[in-house]
Amino acid sequence: MSEIGYFDEGDLVAVLTTQPLDRTLDYRAPEGGCFLGAFVEVPLGPRKVLGVVWGAGRGDFDRSKIRSVSRVLDVAPMRAEMQTFLTRVADYTLTPMPAILRLATRAPGLGDPQSMRKVYRMGEEEPSKMTDARRRVLGVLEEFGGLSFTLKELADTAGASSSVVKGLVKLGAVREEDSPRDLPFPYLDPDRPGKDLTDEQMKAADRLRADLRSGQYGTTLLKGVTGSGKTEVYLEAVAECLRMGRQALVLLPEIALTAEFLTRVEARFGARPAEWHSGATMTERRRIWRMVGQGGTQLVVGARSALFLPYRDLGLIIVDEEHDTSYKQEDGVTYNARDMAVLRASICGARVILASATPSLESWANAEAGKYERLDLTARFGAAVLPEMKTIDMRSEQLQPGTWISPTLRRAIQDRMDKGEQALLFINRRGYAPVTLCRACGQQIGCDHCDARMVEHRFLKRLMCHQCGETKPMPEACPSCGVEGKLAPVGPGIERMAEEATALFPDARIAALSSDLYGSARALKARIVEIANGEADIIIGTQLVAKGHNFPLLTLVGVIDADLGLQGSDLRAAERTFQLMRQVAGRAGRADKPGTALLQTFQPDHPVIRAILSGDEEGFWKAEAAERQAAGVPPFGRMAGIVISGPDVGAVFDLANAMARNDGPLRQIGAQVFGPAPAPIARIRGRHRVRLLIKAEKAAPIQAAVAKWIAPLRLKGDLRVTVDIDPQSFY
Ligand code: ADP
Ligand code: ZN
């Protein structure tokens, strides 16, 4: 390899592929040579697979058998800092490198040459004959006037076949055009005027701008009550970053929530940023992936995996709602996007802003310890004030069986309706009822593959397992005893609350908001905008509504079951309940009308409920931190969760016991092993799950010890061991 990282034709190169191999493979550099970091296609057995030139070849293969790189893809080589980042993520999460590389190449056809594609828009003609399918296609084009669709996107969105679209093209009702696939994104202008900031906001923005100009890594915790203008303030940091010619990334927790946000970005900078999320089409993904690498996009707004895009010069990462649990990916590679954002920024000299009204205890503690800068926005913008919060003591309310809206809450809702204002009922459970019980035999309907109950979804007319996603029709007869007509719903879900609200307020316009009640993220976004504009009197929502939306007419929030999050053995239960309740309450009274939040609870004296009411956040954090410190748990100690799973429960326990006995490498660092114990969900998709919990001191090298501990394992049959460093929840 030359000094500039160039390999001549025939040089041995080590290629990291996305295939599950535990090492790089040697190849010969192709005709014309290649750069270190080049994305390549290499032959592997009979196939061609994607890889990256990771370094000089190891030379431990029979040289006569080494094959050549098939071709170098036409994309920017991976930067050294990205190689470092991926390696560090792999080390931190104990994930094999190929899986990490897959995360970083989640776009199809990466190396394909620039090409044109057909797109479809509304045409001029009316079709002579209208069918339902044709009407749906034209309806989609009308609804999303400015967008052009690929054939598949249009057909899928309309629920029609592609021949219907083609037929409409022939008739001139739909237009077919050529469009290049990968265009740079429109220019975002940082110098368009932003809003006039208040003194407090201005001070925070000035500080963030100065931080950025330092050009050095650093993290800021931007804490401010909902509505205090955190977004307004961090968009000023984005503007500064763009002025410096560097790229910015805004991570958001839930993709359904970006409609309002994107409009704000557009208003500030005059164009839309790149949007990276699971709903993006393959072509959009490819375009973003390439443009990010070429500098053809200044700002990416995205879900957690946007962190793994190949930015050319990333200067700022914003993690909005940094406490949100969806930042922790729990499937496949278990990484926490918030922590990995800090890691990435520290490698590439970028700033991080963690924004939240209710920071995670980790971030709060890091700020306390001086590792993070902390900026507080204390005032809500304009006249909006934090809602008044009160409990409704459910022990003294009279309720009919099978109902959950207390008389006190009902009067409060009626009062808002009389004034033409909105009320939100918060229930963090999807579906109709969490349990379906047979009144003949007393059995609950469970999932066939998991130790989980099936949840009735009346809207879909099915039972669904929230663990594995399995669904089945609602049976007439009890699957256990066969008696018909005795199955009864137990407990409330969002659909059942909607039913109760409809019965209590027959004249109200009621909107139930839960991800599964809408066919697409788009439909949900559209509905949220309508509701914000006043097209509903009562909103019933799951935690989806707790985040980020502005409902200006909303002045009452009723929390149906504030005790829900207090149950269970989760380490973070108190913290989560505190955050969720504060956020939900933060939805009320955002504009000029003061809001009220009413929490229905059977435990009004619970410390968490009391902390929520008193609003003494620092007090809550301090008490919670002291408890965790005493217990030596995160963020004051380190933990790793190990799940051993397999179809045969005996084999699973045998392995777990053997692992617990042979804990030498863990003992060497003073770590303790707890378990094995059945995981809280002891069976998922037919696999039995047993967990070990490892606890170590903060400074202990837990990854290295765990790696050393599991390395000698030879997994027989279908046994699997997964490692979760810093587990968020104890599944
Ligand atoms: P947060 O992110 O803290 O919840 P936002 O930035 O979303 O707060 O601000 C809440 C609302 O107040 C938004 O509609 C925002 O546009 C508005 N707002 C905040 N600060 C200002 C300002 N200085 N001038 C005008 N509007 C503002
Ligand atoms: Zn299941």
Side-chain angles (χ1 to χ4, degrees):
M1 178 171 59
S2 73
E3 261 168 36
I4 54 163
Y6 188 78
F7 296 95
D8 284 320
E9 176 175 356
D11 283 355
L12 277 191
V13 294
V15 174
L16 174 70
T17 72
T18 53
Q19 303 303 302
L21 306 165
D22 58 6
R23 52 162 295 167
T24 56
L25 300 176
D26 280 2
Y27 289 90
R28 290 196 184 283
E31 195 186 327
C34 62
F35 279 102
L36 177 66
F39 284 85
V40 293
E41 217 170 66
V42 292
L44 186 68
R47 287 181 305 154
K48 295 239 168 88
V49 301
L50 178 69
V52 172
V53 174
W54 208 253
R58 301 175 22 157
D60 53 357
F61 266 167
D62 177 354
R63 292 199 171 222
S64 65
K65 294 202 177 118
I66 292 180
R67 301 205 260 173
S68 278
V69 166
S70 311
R71 73 183 174 109
V72 178
L73 306 185
D74 179 23
V75 293
M78 184 182 283
R79 262 161 272 279
E81 67 181 40
M82 186 71 173
Q83 279 191 316
T84 307
F85 174 58
L86 298 184
T87 307
R88 302 254 314 256
V89 173
D91 290 347
Y92 191 90
T93 60
L94 289 177
T95 308
M97 281 305 293
I100 302 285
L101 182 60
R102 273 200 296 281
L103 255 184
T105 52
R106 282 227 193 119
L110 281 187
D112 298 351
Q114 172 76 279
S115 60
M116 306 296 276
R117 60 172 179 167
K118 300 257 181 260
V119 295
Y120 298 80
R121 309 173 171 281
M122 191 64 108
E124 280 80 45
E125 308 296 325
E126 281 274 313
S128 40
K129 186 166 140 275
M130 200 52 122
T131 64
D132 273 350
R134 283 179 173 179
R135 193 169 293 120
R136 284 201 301 277
V137 170
L138 296 176
V140 167
L141 289 176
E142 196 167 277
E143 188 180 347
F144 302 101
L147 292 176
S148 52
F149 289 80
T150 63
L151 184 57
K152 182 164 169 16
E153 284 166 352
L154 180 55
D156 286 355
T157 316
S161 72
S162 38
S163 58
V164 174
V165 178
K166 289 282 192 188
L168 286 168
V169 171
K170 273 213 189 88
L171 297 171
V174 170
R175 237 176 340 143
E176 187 182 76
E177 294 169 355
D178 282 321
S179 140
R181 268 176 215 279
D182 304 324
L183 287 174
F185 284 81
Y187 177 70
L188 305 185
D189 181 0
D191 293 324
R192 285 167 55 103
K195 299 220 163 84
D196 288 331
L197 299 184
T198 64
D199 284 350
E200 191 183 47
Q201 291 172 341
M202 183 62 87
K203 257 176 76 186
D206 281 344
R207 178 81 237 173
L208 293 174
R209 282 190 286 248
D211 288 342
L212 264 164
R213 281 194 300 269
S214 79
Q216 309 248 311
Y217 158 74
T219 297
T220 304
L221 173 61
L222 176 62
K223 180 178 176 306
V225 292
T226 323
S228 59
K230 291 184 294 300
T231 312
E232 246 20 277
V233 168
Y234 75 61
L235 285 180
E236 291 313 309
V238 170
E240 188 68 14
C241 181
L242 301 190
R243 269 183 220 115
M244 292 168 68
R246 302 185 79 185
Q247 292 169 307
L249 163 65
V250 177
L251 291 177
L252 295 169
E254 289 251 6
I255 220 43
L257 304 176
T258 57
E260 185 195 339
F261 182 79
L262 291 166
T263 317
R264 280 176 76 173
V265 172
E266 189 172 359
R268 176 66 182 79
F269 299 116
R272 286 168 82 88
E275 290 169 56
W276 178 267
H277 54 81
S278 55
T281 62
M282 287 302 162
T283 32
E284 283 172 289
R285 282 173 167 257
R286 197 182 99 116
R287 174 182 177 207
I288 296 172
W289 198 94
R290 302 192 113 201
M291 288 306 132
V292 156
Q294 294 172 14
T297 174
Q298 300 155 281
L299 172 63
V300 176
V301 174
R304 60 185 176 222
S305 62
L307 199 55
F308 289 88
L309 289 169
Y311 299 90
R312 196 170 72 165
D313 182 14
L314 188 58
L316 173 64
I317 307 175
I318 292 170
V319 185
D320 201 354
E321 311 275 355
E322 65 91 27
H323 59 275
D324 196 280
T325 51
S326 69
Y327 282 124
K328 179 71 189 260
Q329 159 125 343
E330 310 233 308
D331 264 352
V333 185
T334 50
Y335 67 94
N336 187 317
R338 177 193 66 218
D339 301 343
M340 294 306 114
V342 170
L343 173 64
R344 178 148 200 185
S346 71
I347 294 171
C348 66
R351 296 288 312 187
V352 179
I353 299 174
L354 307 176
S356 176
T358 52
S360 63
L361 189 63
E362 275 85 350
S363 299
W364 181 85
N366 277 328
E368 280 287 294
K371 278 200 238 163
Y372 296 171
E373 173 181 64
R374 177 166 162 180
L375 296 174
D376 280 51
L377 297 177
T378 53
R380 279 193 144 193
F381 179 72
V385 284
L386 263 185
E388 175 190 27
M389 283 194 254
K390 285 194 258 183
T391 51
I392 297 177
D393 186 344
M394 295 299 275
R395 293 170 304 187
S396 52
E397 294 280 326
Q398 303 291 320
L399 273 91
Q400 295 294 318
T403 67
W404 287 271
I405 298 175
S406 64
T408 306
L409 181 55
R410 187 173 73 207
R411 282 192 298 275
I413 299 170
Q414 187 61 54
D415 173 63
R416 302 303 136 138
M417 292 190 33
D418 295 344
K419 293 187 189 140
E421 298 169 2
Q422 286 176 328
L424 165 71
L425 299 182
F426 176 76
I427 171 89
N428 203 13
R429 268 177 175 160
R430 294 180 293 135
Y432 184 81
V435 177
T436 302
L437 182 83
C438 171
R439 269 181 301 189
C441 72
Q443 291 284 331
Q444 303 174 356
I445 301 191
C447 174
D448 297 337
H449 314 287
C450 308
D451 279 352
R453 294 182 292 229
M454 294 293 268
V455 177
E456 181 184 357
H457 284 245
R458 235 169 238 198
F459 180 75
L460 301 170
K461 300 197 179 59
R462 291 183 87 78
L463 291 164
M464 185 188 295
C465 169
H466 286 184
Q467 222 53 60
C468 69
E470 174 82 1
T471 71
K472 55 186 175 193
M474 186 73 192
E476 285 292 319
C478 169
S480 300
C481 69
V483 174
E484 281 187 28
K486 286 282 180 195
L487 290 175
V490 180
I494 175 172
E495 296 174 20
R496 198 170 189 188
M497 289 314 305
E499 196 175 276
E500 185 178 342
T502 308
L504 286 177
F505 305 100
D507 301 329
R509 294 166 303 164
I510 294 175
L513 280 184
S514 139
S515 52
D516 51 344
L517 297 180
Y518 289 83
S520 66
R522 244 190 208 135
L524 179 62
K525 281 184 200 173
R527 186 71 183 126
I528 287 173
V529 172
E530 283 172 16
I531 293 171
N533 291 335
E535 291 183 26
D537 304 309
I538 301 177
I539 306 158
I540 302 179
T542 60
Q543 63 179 356
L544 199 73
V545 297
K547 298 170 196 157
H549 304 295
N550 263 325
F551 295 119
L553 296 172
L554 183 69
T555 57
L556 173 71
V557 171
V559 177
I560 297 298
D561 187 354
D563 303 333
L564 246 186
L566 300 177
Q567 302 148 0
S569 55
D570 199 324
L571 156 74
R572 292 180 164 81
E575 184 189 344
R576 283 205 193 131
T577 307
F578 183 75
Q579 289 164 342
L580 198 57
M581 293 302 129
R582 299 273 309 179
Q583 278 166 4
V584 171
R587 296 298 112 213
R590 300 253 309 179
D592 50 348
K593 301 189 179 73
T596 304
L598 298 175
L599 278 57
Q600 298 197 138
T601 172
F602 285 93
Q603 309 171 64
D605 295 324
H606 193 287
V608 173
I609 301 281
R610 288 229 303 263
I612 294 169
L613 291 194
S614 68
D616 176 14
E617 292 175 76
E618 297 301 317
F620 172 78
W621 296 126
K622 289 209 172 90
E624 182 71 11
E627 263 184 37
R628 292 213 206 152
Q629 190 141 32
V633 297
F636 304 99
R638 307 216 42 201
M639 281 171 113
I642 314 291
V643 172
I644 299 110
S645 67
D648 173 32
V649 69
V652 170
F653 263 102
D654 286 349
L655 175 60
N657 279 313
M659 288 173 70
R661 272 195 311 274
N662 299 314
D663 62 348
L666 298 173
R667 247 180 303 131
Q668 270 170 22
I669 62 157
Q672 291 169 280
V673 183
F674 297 91
I681 298 165
R683 201 164 53 109
I684 294 183
R685 292 184 201 99
R687 298 179 66 86
H688 295 273
R689 308 170 77 242
V690 163
R691 81 174 301 175
L692 296 165
L693 208 55
I694 295 162
K695 226 173 99 177
E697 285 188 7
K698 178 123 186 137
I702 195 165
Q703 282 95 341
V706 170
K708 201 160 141 200
W709 176 51
I710 59 177
L713 295 180
R714 293 289 160 260
L715 299 180
K716 281 193 246 83
D718 207 3
L719 285 172
R720 254 202 317 261
V721 174
T722 57
V723 180
D724 183 358
I725 301 290
D726 312 330
Q728 282 276 330
S729 60
F730 291 162
Y731 289 122

